[in-house]
Amino acid sequence: MAPPLSRRSLLQAAALAASTPAVSLTTTGRAAATVQEATAVAAAPSAWTVQPFALEDVALRPGLFAEKRRLMLDHARGYDVNRLLQVFRANAGLPTGGAVAPGGWEGLDGEANGNLRGHYTGHFLTMLAQAYRGTKERVFADRIGTMVGALTEVRAALRRDPAVLSVPGKFGTAADQVRGSYQYVDLPADVLGGASAITLSVWVRPTHDANWTRVFDFGDDTTRYLYLAARNQAGVPRFAITTSGAGGEQGLDGTAALPLNQWSHLAVTIAGGTGALYVNGTAVARNTAMSLTPAALGALKNNWLGRSNYSADPVFAGAYEEFNVFSRALTAAEITELQSRRAADASTGRGDLASYAFDETAGGTFTDVSGRNLTATLRRTWGGPSHPGFLAAYPETQFIDLESRTTSDYTKVWAPYYTAHKILRGLLDAYGATDDDRALDLASGMCDWMHSRLSKLPESTLQRMWGIFSSGEFGGIVEAVCDLHTITGKAEHLALAQLFDLDRLIDACAANTDILDGLHANQHIPIFTGYVRLYDETGEERYLTSAKNFWDMVVPHRMYGIGGTSTQEFWKARDVIAGTISATTAETCCAYNMLKLSRTLFFHEQDPKYMDYYERALYNQVLGSKQDKPDAEKPLVTYFIGLTPGHVRDYTPKQGTTCCEGTGMESATKYQDSVYFAKADGSALYVNLYSPSTLTWAEKGVTVTQTTGFPEEQGSTLAFGGGRASFTLRLRVPSWATAGFRVTVNGRAVSGTPKPGNYFEVSRTWRAGDTVRIAMPFRTRVEKALDDPSLQTLFHGPVNLVARDAATEYLKVGLYRDAGLSGDLSHSLTPVPGEPLHFTLDGTEWAPFFEGTEDPTHAYFRRSEPKVVFGGRDSGVANPAKADGTTLLDEVWAGAPFRNKGALVARVRSTVDAWVAAGLLSRADGDKVVSTAGTASYRP
């Protein structure tokens, strides 16, 4: 009897049996054919009851979003993409054209040895694709073509054995070993010939100053060896020979560091118990007690140029020319002679044990011209060639290591599948924007490679891998693979997407069990967008249910007022907000991915809460994460946004090129992606955001031009163009719009009662010239931290207002003294003339969070209402508070809005009676409070 199939095997079998048509994932208003022979056109997934428009169908008009985007487009045009490609080309052993790798996470000297390099190139490709789709500027398409072409060359090179990279040398040509290529020269075992006297002579041009890089190293392991390091721990050349490990080394140390990017001649001689080290013809070290020679070492297994027998040592980066091994000690005069001519032209002649001129300009071997025919071979430390489809800016070793790893160590393995996702996503977006078949081929190849690797692993191994913090992080790869599957129709691609199931997380969230405390936030948010897409592809309900429940665990239970989440990248306990505020709150990537998840869930269920959240996070954290100044070299985007008092935003974090700068580039080139959605059957148009823009709805033959200064303007106007079309216009009524939401069509009021936190419908046959006007007056309100009601943040309509003050303690702020009957707190603020959305309060300036300045800000403040004051009239009574910090005034104004003054006084009386009964307020003071409320005057 055959054993029962595991759930994963059943899923794979079902995927392999399901032969879906080859279609292209497109969006409403855009049709694209695939590269398959039998082309097909598809809209968004059939499970989506609402569909987005393509970026090219929604044009941003002048306003806040267009200005922020302009700054990022300047960066997209100005940054040298060859710098991004440098790490890929280096990894493949290709010429880098002198390009300097980006700093930070994209360079070998960045955090964790650059173990995330390559991710930023994916972000950049996505930015370029979005920029091209949104503007149709040819420069963006051209840059995409450059990058895709280079990555195509890189993948091909990774599939081959390493090839010589010929560069100008000291006398003729030289062989370059690009840093990051992990290449070295492997010499035959008999290269030292068991000599009892020897000279090793070489020209090198180092390009990096890492300690312990080997010019050459001949040995068995770390016990018996002979090496020359370009730099020891003191930064100077060192020669050593030993038969008993590091403790038994007989050595020669130089006196000065070798200059970078310049040719230096190094020579070592050993004979008669004396060793000498020469640098550029000068003896810099001599040891008369050097009893060891190659003869004492015997036959050696590893004979390398550029690689160390100590595996942790870096590989030599730089060029080689003229490596000669002589079976005698050259004289000082002979070594001096080698400074000005090749050995073949000098009195020494070529080395009799080995001689490599490095004149080769192709191939992967170097000829020995000593007469001994000891041909050397160019190799990579990580082996190779890579497996078919592999594409990365580092070797496959991280992926291999992860499969046996049980603990996190990002200096060894830093989220390789996360990086793969970014590259894959960038390639898919590049294909979607330019129809470049090379990008699709690269993307498909990557997924073929991942499937061939992951499908061979036991399910228990996969579950362990995906549960490891950081190392097992895979970002939004499931979403990207599902999107690819809709293009290729390959069953293996759908099967691959399901190999990233993290069952513990899915099952807990599907059961609505909150297990987020202690989890890395951005490791998990994008997972759920992918699971929603898996629901689209498979119909398996647990994926969608888990994602919806997960969203509810974050919003509002782990959400700061600006829409951000996480502290120091992690989640804490549910409903702990004040207790988690720090300088490292609200990682920008988290906001980016929560927006993606929110809009994807909205495609399935049009709950306005998703778009309420979208507006909150977009208008506050996302806009505020971008600095308001141009820079061709940096995107100027925050990593964390600290919410501590007096925090100053850092727009070039962690040396640059972080994940958040990458998602920041993407966010700033797709601001229009959720302004409008369409009902899948074309029966309705959703207006989700009030943003100046023009929608071209090709299927309906209409255009909708939205004119607004929102959020400076408290409303918007929609003008229709094109032909006649019948559909329902669904206008989002923000949950904060409690002061009214009024709609007119062609100047006539539309009947109905718009409800905050819902959509208001207007159904008709629309004609060119129709105009819809929306008015939504703003109110000023506070939102309280869930775990500390006295810690609050201030909103004016959708806009979070921050105090600009250098103090590092929470400001104490009172707001009730002039509150209106509506509960609006704006009367306590004084508008700043000529500066919309800027106010002063007790001498402190308050400004929109979305302004990307370097001013110290206070997003949260300590609410302080020491006296009971109504309409500016002081009762003389101290404002009492409950144990949780809720004050008498808090409870009174929680009943707002009030129909009239009488309703307010009634609320005051009932609240006072309750507090007197609870022993929190004396009757005499209570009577004063009620009397003051009755005699005060109030604004609406």
Side-chain angles (χ1 to χ4, degrees), residues 881-895:
K882 294 181 177 179
D884 67 356
T886 302
T887 69
L888 175 71
L889 285 175
D890 289 334
E891 288 205 354
V892 168
W893 287 106

Side-chain angles (χ1 to χ4, degrees), residues 146 220 756 853 870:
T146 296
D220 274 344
T853 73
F870 291 103

Side-chain angles (χ1 to χ4, degrees), residues 328-339 346-348:
R328 64 184 182 87
L330 299 185
T331 65
E334 287 175 317
I335 291 174
T336 299
E337 186 183 4
L338 292 177
Q339 307 308 296
S347 61
T348 61

Side-chain angles (χ1 to χ4, degrees), residues 783-803:
E783 290 187 1
K784 303 171 184 177
L786 297 175
D787 53 333
D788 184 351
S790 72
L791 196 69
Q792 301 180 1
T793 186
L794 189 65
F795 280 85
H796 185 61
V799 179
N800 184 240
L801 297 176
V802 294

